[in-house]
Amino acid sequence: GAGVSQTPSNKVTEKGKYVELRCDPISGHTALYWYRQSLGQGPEFLIYFQGTGAADDSGLPNDRFFAVRPEGSVSTLKIQRTERGDSAVYLCASSLGGRDTQYFGPGTRLTVL
Amino acid sequence: DAKTTQPNSMESNEEEPVHLPCNHSTISGTDYIHWYRQLPSQGPEYVIHGLTSNVNNRMASLAIAEDRKSSTLILHRATLRDAAVYYCILRDSGGSNYKLTFGKGTLLTVNP
């Protein structure tokens, strides 16, 4: 079956611009996660959705970062006023429920010039 | 989350077994030991997990020490496609176990 998909695969933007990153989870998965991975590091948790609601957003680095999942399926990670330090691979994962195995997408590589 | 310690890198030859170690001396009784791997330019991929007993699946085996303070991921016959970063992660089976806390993992190189 189809796995987790993320679009775009690559995004290059200029400092100060706004970007949106999209995640399509596996159909039927109620839990969705966003992680960020900097070069040479393991992925770092950003936010967790159970259904439509953000159950834990403690990993979001500041208020420039926001994520939504309005219908409990597709999620969008939004970054305002991008900074060069936001450059990273943004990974999305989904699972059947919060305690189940997480399945990751291929990630979106964000480059802020 | 309890911390894990893994070697930065390991090297193996194709078709030979690989033993990837992980130390987790502060593991709690409700922590499961999970292994994920990340192939180049891909997202992490679940490999295996266990609590106390050794576990086998089609990808690998997980050997857990009797005191649970360490574990070893075993790839029985390494192939070139097994070259990846392997992450050992502790995940609490209790209330707040939804997120995965990754370290830097072990970079496995497989030589032809």
Side-chain angles (χ1 to χ4, degrees), chain A residues 21-23 25 32 34 49-54 66-78:
Chain A
L21 311 178
R22 176 187 168 110
C23 172
L32 185 145
W34 284 98
F49 285 90
Q50 182 56 250
T52 60
F66 189 71
V68 295
R69 194 185 185 200
E71 297 178 356
S73 179
V74 171
S75 176
T76 306
L77 179 66
K78 309 180 182 200

Side-chain angles (χ1 to χ4, degrees), chain A:
Chain A
V4 177
S5 62
Q6 293 185 245
T7 53
S9 54
N10 280 284
K11 176 71 177 178
V12 180
T13 191
E14 293 179 344
K15 181 175 177 298
K17 299 289 189 183
Y18 167 83
V19 296
E20 289 189 351
L21 311 178
R22 176 187 168 110
C23 172
D24 281 80
I26 293 172
S27 178
H29 281 194
T30 63
L32 185 145
Y33 317 77
W34 284 98
Y35 294 82
R36 177 169 73 171
Q37 186 170 25
S38 300
L39 198 62
Q41 306 294 317
E44 182 184 23
F45 169 78
L46 294 177
I47 187 169
Y48 157 62
F49 285 90
Q50 182 56 250
T52 60
D56 180 7
D57 64 358
S58 63
L60 295 177
N62 52 59
D63 61 7
R64 295 186 298 105
F65 288 75
F66 189 71
V68 295
R69 194 185 185 200
E71 297 178 356
S73 179
V74 171
S75 176
T76 306
L77 179 66
K78 309 180 182 200
I79 311 174
Q80 298 178 318
R81 305 183 303 280
T82 52
E83 299 177 357
R84 292 195 180 90
D86 298 335
S87 296
V89 175
Y90 288 81
L91 294 160
C92 176
S94 71
S95 64
L96 205 55
R99 295 170 184 260
D100 297 307
T101 298
Q102 295 183 22
Y103 297 87
F104 284 79
T108 293
R109 180 175 298 278
L110 175 66
T111 303
V112 182
L113 300 176

Side-chain angles (χ1 to χ4, degrees), chain B residues 38-84:
Chain B
Q38 188 170 21
L39 280 64
S41 301
Q42 295 189 27
E45 171 189 33
Y46 168 79
V47 178
I48 199 167
H49 76 282
L51 184 63
T52 56
S53 304
N54 294 345
V55 185
N56 300 294
N57 66 20
R58 64 174 180 81
M59 289 181 72
S61 295
L62 176 59
I64 301 172
E66 198 168 334
D67 63 5
R68 300 209 326 124
K69 294 187 176 183
S70 66
S71 61
T72 303
L73 179 70
I74 302 165
L75 307 179
H76 295 285
R77 286 180 75 241
T79 69
L80 297 178
R81 292 188 70 252
D82 291 321

